[in-house]
Amino acid sequence: MSNKTFALSDELYEYLLSVSLREPEVLRALRDETAGQRLSRMQIAPEQGQFMALLAKLMGARRCIEVGFYTGYSALCVALALPADGNIIACDVSEEWTAVAERYWRQAGVRDRIELRLAPAIETLDRLLAEGKAGTIDFAFIDADKENYGAYYERCFELLRPGGLIAIDNTLWSGKVADTADHEQETEAIRSFNRHLYRDQRVELSLVPIGDGMTLALKSL
Ligand SMILES: C[S@@+](CC[C@H](N)C(=O)[O-])C[C@H]1O[C@@H](n2cnc3c(N)ncnc32)[C@H](O)[C@@H]1O
């Protein structure tokens, strides 16, 4: 028997959730509401949100960035794991989805931990760098338009402190990255990004097969 990570059957996935997912009611409600939205598949998996919260706690994160928050689920998972003076700079371009996110962040009592930046994320990240925030961020999560992953990663890398962590979502892209017949633009963008990351000696690397695949890149000390 190979010791590679195995595929999860529906039954095993339900079991995994039943013995490990401790989703607060507010997150559950946000997930339920988002399920009725178009593009609800963009939301991260709940066990992935819990894993990100654990990572944030593990590293004592206080300063965070999220690139692409949609209706706010992943940002809320991390915000709930931060100390009271912790903060997330949350980047997106959609006012419609932001309204949903803000409602749940407020309901969860963490609205003051989340700083909204509604603008193309490259502009926001460049502005943060121009404001002198390089080397100050503990944890960054990238989950926006795939064609810009490389640009987001380089900027987040500059913003990260040594020992800080970048998590990048969708790096397995529903398995399409391994389908040699698939040449869609987003698939190619993720393949190219994954190759770039693999060669990047400035980070410690792990691609975790959780959700749609989440790569962790730790900025070397
Ligand atoms: C996959 S969704 C994020 C899902 C979210 N992390 C969650 O768990 O619910 C991607 C988000 O990226 C945003 N986005 C797309 N292009 C963007 C850009 N150029 N700058 C900032 N955000 C962008 C979209 O509006 C969308 O909300």
Side-chain angles (χ1 to χ4, degrees):
M1 182 177 154
S2 155
N3 60 359
K4 77 177 176 65
T5 305
F6 52 84
L8 291 180
S9 63
D10 289 349
E11 293 75 19
L12 194 51
Y13 179 61
E14 287 305 321
Y15 175 78
L16 178 154
L17 296 182
S18 74
V19 295
S20 68
L21 184 65
R22 295 176 174 164
E23 190 177 37
E25 183 48 41
V26 64
L27 280 171
R28 177 72 195 215
L30 171 52
R31 209 149 57 84
D32 286 348
E33 177 165 342
T34 306
Q37 300 264 356
R38 77 197 153 88
L39 302 178
S40 61
R41 273 182 53 83
M42 293 203 301
Q43 191 172 63
I44 60 162
E47 70 278 15
Q48 181 181 356
Q50 186 170 307
F51 181 54
M52 286 168 58
L54 186 147
L55 290 174
K57 283 198 175 169
L58 186 68
M59 61 189 304
R62 287 175 62 245
R63 302 279 164 255
C64 308
I65 291 182
E66 180 157 314
V67 180
F69 59 80
Y70 184 40
T71 56
Y73 188 90
S74 46
L76 183 50
C77 291
V78 174
L80 288 168
L82 297 181
D85 66 345
N87 127 301
I88 304 177
I89 297 170
C91 313
D92 209 290
V93 285
S94 165
E95 289 186 12
E96 176 194 352
W97 294 325
T98 297
V100 179
E102 280 195 284
R103 184 151 45 81
Y104 280 91
W105 295 341
R106 206 166 283 122
Q107 198 178 313
V110 294
R111 180 64 192 87
D112 60 337
R113 291 183 201 171
I114 302 174
E115 198 181 312
L116 266 181
R117 303 282 180 112
L118 274 190
I122 290 181
E123 283 176 22
T124 300
L125 298 172
D126 281 342
R127 191 161 307 128
L128 293 171
L129 286 166
E131 288 167 5
K133 295 219 164 59
T136 64
I137 300 295
D138 302 307
F139 179 68
F141 181 51
I142 298 175
D143 188 17
D145 48 321
K146 311 310 163 196
E147 289 84 352
N148 279 320
Y149 264 26
Y152 298 144
Y153 173 75
E154 286 305 322
R155 286 162 176 77
C156 286
F157 183 85
E158 289 304 315
L159 289 163
L160 222 59
R161 65 164 167 84
L165 185 74
I166 308 180
I168 307 105
D169 198 30
N170 306 110
T171 48
L172 292 178
W173 202 230
S174 307
K176 292 182 193 173
V177 281
D179 177 356
T180 52
D182 189 317
H183 297 290
E184 277 176 28
Q185 204 174 332
E186 287 180 310
T187 309
E188 292 289 8
I190 290 180
R191 278 195 195 114
S192 154
F193 176 72
N194 284 341
R195 279 193 302 271
H196 171 72
L197 214 50
Y198 185 57
R199 287 191 298 260
D200 187 351
Q201 296 300 319
R202 302 170 301 173
V203 293
E204 309 284 331
L205 199 63
S206 180
L207 199 173
V208 185
I210 191 168
D212 193 27
M214 182 167 69
T215 298
L216 303 178
L218 182 80
K219 184 169 180 173
S220 301
L221 288 168

